[in-house]
Amino acid sequence: MPAKKKISPADVCELYNVKRWGSGYFTVNDQGHLCALPEKREDGPRIDFMEVIEEMREQKIAFPAVLRFHDILRSQVRRINTTFREAITEYDYKGCFFGVYPIKVNQMREVVEEILDAGQPFNHGLEAGSKSELMAALAYNENPEALTVLNGYKDEDYIRLALMGRKLGRKFIIVVENISEFGLIVRIAKEMKVEPLIGIRAKLAVQGGGRWAGSSGERAKFGLTCSEILNGIALLKKHGMTDCLKLLHFHMGSQVPDIRIIKEAIAEAARIYADLALTGIKLEYFDVGGGLGVDYDGSRSANNSSRNYSLQEYAQDIVSGLQQICDEVGVPHPNIVSESGRYITAHHSCVITNVVDTIHQTNSTFPTERIPDEHFLLTNIREAAETLTEKNYQEIFNDAQQNKNDAINAFKLGVISLEERARIETLYWQIISRISRMLAGADFVPEELQQVEEMKASQFLCNFSVFQSAADTWAISQLLPIMPVMRLNERPEVRCSIVDITCDSDGKINHFISQSGYDQSLLLHAQKKGEEYYIGLFLTGAYQDVMGDMHNLFGRLNEVHIYCDDDDPSDFYIEEVIKGTSAKNVLATMQYNPEMMARDVKKEIDRQVQQGRIQPREGVKLVDFYEDCLEGYTYLKFS
Ligand SMILES: *Cc1c(COP(=O)(O)O)cnc(C)c1O
């Protein structure tokens, strides 16, 4: 490889901002492969993505696929618990920390089980926001010391299920979101003869920030106003149930980008806690909700896809902010509960896809020589191409733009022919490519010409669906880190955007992280003939995994669950493979009957065979092929 084309692991990490968004969990090795460092230590276990991919290919697991690093999930659970414990020790805070994992962030059973298992030493519990999630919590959170916090709107069945948890001796806390729920809880608890644990969700005046700012503030959908809190307490008092009130909850919305919002919320909620404590309400838990952000773009800023604080700062600000007000008022320090989900799950999974094709913008290749009686637009652009120099490229750029637009209009009016248009396009892209080469050596690039690189950018067609695997990039312009997992010792030189295989023109990604902020294109390597090129979409473990839909009937992905193993030469083993949805199952969820479809197709083929239009042997093959495809994966297949 020529030296110019080489790039060092350190430089390539910098180029893709790996260390920042990866939070220490990813690095690049000397072979130019991306590696996961589940213990965040360079000298710890190191899982080479290409070795995982090799093993998957041997096992015939098709791409795209989700890779789940269970050790990263476990490490994040430990990290949040130990960081809060350290802050508590540091400030000599008297309460304890209890984390609960909100199931909605990633409901996969394996994820929930792993979090509970890793959280066992810390009594890490669950948070549920619907009846189905509550039923999962009933079955899975068996730890009598761990909390289960129950949010969301509730009906009678919801409350009965929650009180069933109490009957089983578990700490299930029903958080009242809506004033009418008080009466419901009192009545059903009496009926079931069980003492409920009740929480209240406060509607804070502090407005959250980022994309989910609407989760808090006066117009929020959830929570009780101060007067509702006091009325609710009066109702509990009337029934002699004030001692059931255990928890004060608030939630500022997910991905809070700015630490100031968290500090202000703590201050306001701590006052509510302290005032209630002064009137003799013995609240044991102060629940700060979710919102702990993930630095998706690695900028450490208050951007919507980032956060301007660390986990340590977050924990310290909560502990010290709450302590200060409790001490000032002279009330006990409550236990602290956090419902962080995004922070725990985002890093542990990624989507690996292969590039299927490259759509080159500049790929117009048509003869450009003069033709008899050609239109003057064609003559003009040819002359522009011939006179292009380092001195006049800005002028030629402007002329070429104008000329191309005029040509399209002229074509629509039937004034120029298809062949003339093809020649103009070819000349236009030749001009753009040459200007781009001139700009590469220029000290100064005029503003208008800065778009040249973006205009030239190719589109890499990747074997996945944005709607299934990266829903938030489409729905809310969430940024996800995207980079190749291989050839990282070669300097990437192709500017491109990513398009998926759905038939939806929204199925694309053209918003990327760059060293200087954001970019509409990404640098990748030119595809090589006969070699698969794998790229990864990272930090997909929170929300993306489960919010994907079946647009175009592309189903769920194959999943590979990876564990570290010190004794293994590759430091890992694949513990479980979950097959993605087959075409048959995707069709069945939309009310099709695949068996009947296969029968109908067979019947039709039989008829053609009888009429002699298809050979019997070929007919059998066609029927088998249709049935195989029904059983098959919904994505593109490559051998
Ligand atoms: C969604 C949600 C969470 C999780 O928030 P993250 O920002 O993902 O940690 C926590 N609590 C409640 C009430 C929620 O609705």
Side-chain angles (χ1 to χ4, degrees), residues 102 104-105 127 151 201 249 251 253-255 289-292 339-343 543:
K104 79 157 190 284
V105 182
E127 186 266 0
N151 293 318
R201 177 163 182 169
H249 164 97
H251 174 61
S254 203
Q255 184 70 13
L292 172 54
E339 303 178 349
S340 283
R342 184 185 293 275
Y343 172 83
Y543 303 101

Side-chain angles (χ1 to χ4, degrees), residues 41-59:
R41 284 188 317 167
E42 290 284 340
D43 58 346
R46 176 185 287 258
I47 302 173
D48 181 332
F49 273 75
M50 287 315 286
E51 287 182 8
V52 175
I53 288 172
E54 208 41 57
E55 188 158 332
M56 289 168 67
R57 290 171 63 110
E58 276 165 26
Q59 292 190 32

Side-chain angles (χ1 to χ4, degrees), residues 100-105 127-129 149 151-152 177 201 212 215 222 249-256 287-293 314 338-345 542-543:
V100 292
Y101 168 67
I103 298 179
K104 79 157 190 284
V105 182
E127 186 266 0
V149 176
N151 293 318
E177 306 260 11
R201 177 163 182 169
W212 288 274
S215 304
F222 298 109
H249 164 97
F250 66 91
H251 174 61
M252 297 303 291
S254 203
Q255 184 70 13
V256 174
D287 179 351
V288 300
L292 172 54
Y314 177 79
S338 124
E339 303 178 349
S340 283
R342 184 185 293 275
Y343 172 83
I344 289 179
T345 54
Y543 303 101

Side-chain angles (χ1 to χ4, degrees), residues 548-561:
D549 65 33
M550 298 192 305
H551 197 22
N552 250 175
L553 297 188
F554 287 111
R556 282 189 69 83
L557 273 55
N558 286 328
E559 269 198 38
V560 175
H561 292 220

Side-chain angles (χ1 to χ4, degrees), residues 18-26 36 40 49 67-73 76 293-296 307 341-350 481 537-542:
V18 177
K19 298 286 167 182
R20 306 286 287 279
W21 60 256
S23 177
Y25 284 121
F26 301 97
K40 285 201 187 186
F49 273 75
L67 266 51
R68 263 184 220 295
F69 294 97
H70 282 251
D71 298 274
I72 293 183
L73 197 53
Q76 288 293 86
V294 165
D295 193 3
Y296 289 94
R307 55 162 201 205
R342 184 185 293 275
Y343 172 83
I344 289 179
T345 54
H347 290 82
H348 91 281
S349 85
C350 60
L537 283 74
F538 296 88
L539 310 191
T540 56

